[in-house]
Amino acid sequence: MMFPFIKEAMTNLFSRPSTENFPAQPVAAKPNYRGRISYDPEKCVNCGMCVKVCSPAAITREYKDVEGGQEITYHFDLTSCTFCGTCQDFCEEKAIVLTDDYLMFAEDPKDLIVSGTRFKEKVKGKLSCGEGCVYCGLCARNCPQNAITVDRATKTWTVDHEKCVQCGKCIEKCPKKVLSFAEPAPEGVILGPDCIYCGLCARKCPVGAITVDRPSKSWTIDREKCVQCGLCVKNCPKKTLSMGPIE
Amino acid sequence: MIKKAIANSMQRSPWLYHVNTGSCNGCDIELVACLTPRYDVERFGFKLAGSPRHADIVVVSGPVTSQSKERLLRTLEQVPKPYCIVTLGSCPQSGNVFKGSYSVEAPIEKFCHVDVAIAGCTVKPEAVVAGLYRATEILKAKREAMNK
């Protein structure tokens, strides 16, 4: 044969071009492609593992005090991200997902920051009256729930904690500014009586705060390390762990 | 009329100049992949230029190391105005995992204005094609503003 390539040339002449007609026909990313991060603040429990494991420090957390609580904002800087997916792997609540959206470009790099804000309600303690009360009764008169009773004659000030809705009206009206909400008792994980020392909580804890020793039947928690993510409570097979005020 | 024809053909053939400022080569490979028949950015008139003096769009990859910073600035000075700067990947924008290193000068915004930032580590060729196409639109607007 004189022209061994002629067959190849003819097939190529009539075959379709290998060029992807990209902007006209969008191409789907391959399976398991790690693209733009999506963050669901509703699922997030603010354990902070993603911030800890992020190697280029692309994830930042911001706290802002607002009325009645705190706003917790997570920023995922895609101009800093390596798209390694470690945050997604460590997120037990699956709040972080690396989607298959690969078209990430912007004229302003700020457009490439993915943010999500979550509101965390501040827990208030019980209402109490301090020193300097003149028993004027203004608090009782302004209480919408009639939870406060003031007796000027006997100089007593009492509050029904069952009725109190912690609206703070009495604190506003108090002329002496002696009313206040007590600091709430610190919350944490509490061990109930049904523990079988299986150690699932210790294995699930993202920060390794729990140590369980089966032979000696001991369950200890490092309150300094605990981020109160609630994973241990969720994974306890005996449902004996709970969140609550600790002494 | 000749001026108009020149302007039109300039718009249709934006030439690229690629500066590697200490990149790991990942983004560079993806940029070169865009020139292959599969993605073929030459459909839009893009062409790799050998000299910054021929370039319309400067593509920067890498976290701008101290060694390459001087070279990058010298290169940018040689590019005829107006031109666009496109960054590839996370590195030029923030330094990526190298941020905070003594030899890394990122972000590139300290030295020049970035027109289009393409994110990814590495960038996907489709994102490069889309980002470069956006750069041509910016370039057109810049030219029109300059000719006024």
Side-chain angles (χ1 to χ4, degrees):
Chain A
M1 210 175 183
M2 247 175 91
F3 301 107
F5 46 83
I6 206 150
K7 192 184 159 202
E8 188 77 12
M10 289 314 275
T11 46
N12 278 340
L13 200 60
F14 296 106
S15 63
R16 287 175 58 223
S18 61
T19 307
E20 279 181 13
N21 191 10
F22 165 61
Q25 284 171 332
V27 185
K30 292 279 180 287
N32 300 328
Y33 182 78
R34 298 191 297 265
R36 188 188 293 270
I37 291 174
S38 86
Y39 167 65
D40 187 355
E42 295 302 314
K43 284 186 188 166
C44 177
V45 291
N46 191 28
C47 68
M49 274 315 278
C50 50
V51 180
K52 209 180 266 182
V53 297
C54 183
S55 55
I59 308 174
T60 44
R61 181 165 42 174
E62 200 183 350
Y63 291 102
K64 198 176 142 201
D65 284 320
V66 288
E67 204 183 316
Q70 223 175 13
E71 266 181 6
I72 305 162
T73 311
Y74 275 79
H75 300 287
F76 299 83
D77 189 356
L78 297 186
T79 63
S80 192
C81 181
T82 45
F83 301 90
C84 58
T86 318
C87 52
Q88 178 187 305
D89 295 346
F90 273 84
C91 187
E92 286 285 347
E93 300 293 325
K94 307 218 173 351
I96 304 169
V97 177
L98 274 79
T99 61
D100 59 357
D101 176 16
Y102 53 80
L103 271 183
M104 295 173 284
F105 64 93
E107 282 142 65
D108 186 3
K110 284 195 183 67
D111 295 344
L112 288 170
I113 298 176
V114 176
S115 298
T117 307
R118 194 169 73 94
F119 178 73
K120 192 183 175 190
E121 207 177 325
K122 197 186 172 191
V123 187
K124 284 177 192 163
K126 285 176 176 171
L127 184 71
S128 64
C129 185
E131 293 263 314
C133 180
V134 291
Y135 307 99
C136 63
L138 265 174
C139 48
R141 216 181 308 157
N142 282 293
C143 181
Q145 299 289 318
N146 292 324
I148 307 174
T149 36
V150 180
D151 193 352
R152 198 149 195 185
T154 55
K155 290 196 172 178
T156 51
W157 181 94
T158 46
V159 59
D160 188 346
H161 290 303
E162 296 282 297
K163 279 186 186 172
C164 176
V165 290
Q166 301 182 323
C167 65
K169 265 264 149 61
C170 49
I171 296 173
E172 260 172 52
K173 297 286 178 187
C174 180
K176 290 285 177 190
K177 302 278 170 238
V178 289
L179 288 176
S180 64
F181 290 118
E183 275 295 306
E187 288 227 334
V189 182
I190 317 166
L191 184 70
D194 300 331
C195 183
I196 50 167
Y197 305 98
C198 65
L200 258 178
C201 49
R203 221 185 300 163
K204 279 286 172 183
C205 183
V207 288
I210 303 175
T211 29
V212 177
D213 192 19
R214 194 148 196 195
S216 64
K217 290 198 171 175
S218 77
W219 183 95
T220 45
I221 182 164
D222 189 343
R223 301 270 179 217
E224 295 281 301
K225 275 188 189 171
C226 176
V227 290
Q228 301 183 10
C229 63
L231 270 178
C232 48
V233 177
K234 207 177 273 178
N235 285 293
C236 181
K238 295 303 253 182
K239 305 272 171 264
T240 187
L241 287 173
S242 61
M243 295 288 259
I246 45 173
E247 314 81 55
Chain B
M1 208 186 88
I2 293 172
K3 251 189 182 173
K4 222 176 188 179
I6 289 173
N8 194 27
S9 47
M10 287 272 269
Q11 166 64 23
R12 278 157 188 275
S13 67
W15 283 15
L16 305 173
Y17 185 76
H18 177 208
V19 193
N20 178 337
T21 60
S23 161
C24 70
N25 256 331
C27 293
D28 308 335
I29 286 171
E30 299 295 347
L31 177 68
V32 176
C34 291
L35 299 159
T36 59
R38 181 159 174 196
Y39 300 103
D40 200 16
V41 280
E42 290 188 14
R43 286 178 291 160
F44 307 106
F46 291 108
K47 192 173 173 296
L48 264 190
S51 158
R53 287 161 207 268
H54 299 160
D56 297 298
I57 296 173
V58 182
V59 183
V60 185
S61 59
V64 195
T65 56
S66 308
Q67 290 274 344
S68 63
K69 176 193 144 200
E70 207 52 45
R71 275 86 177 167
L72 171 71
L73 293 177
R74 251 163 55 196
T75 309
L76 291 178
E77 275 166 15
Q78 294 173 45
V79 183
K81 283 188 177 96
Y83 63 91
C84 270
I85 297 178
V86 177
T87 60
L88 291 184
S90 298
C91 286
Q93 285 295 330
S94 64
N96 208 336
V97 282
F98 310 110
K99 71 162 76 84
S101 165
Y102 64 92
S103 60
V104 163
E105 307 276 345
I108 193 173
E109 302 261 323
K110 283 194 284 190
F111 316 114
C112 57
H113 173 73
V114 174
D115 293 286
V116 179
I118 306 173
C121 186
T122 76
V123 289
K124 203 165 159 60
E126 280 92 348
V128 177
V129 174
L132 286 178
Y133 192 72
R134 181 82 196 92
T136 59
E137 288 168 4
I138 295 170
L139 197 64
K140 189 185 176 188
K142 275 188 178 178
R143 280 225 179 89
E144 277 167 3
M146 217 177 163
N147 291 334
K148 253 176 200 169

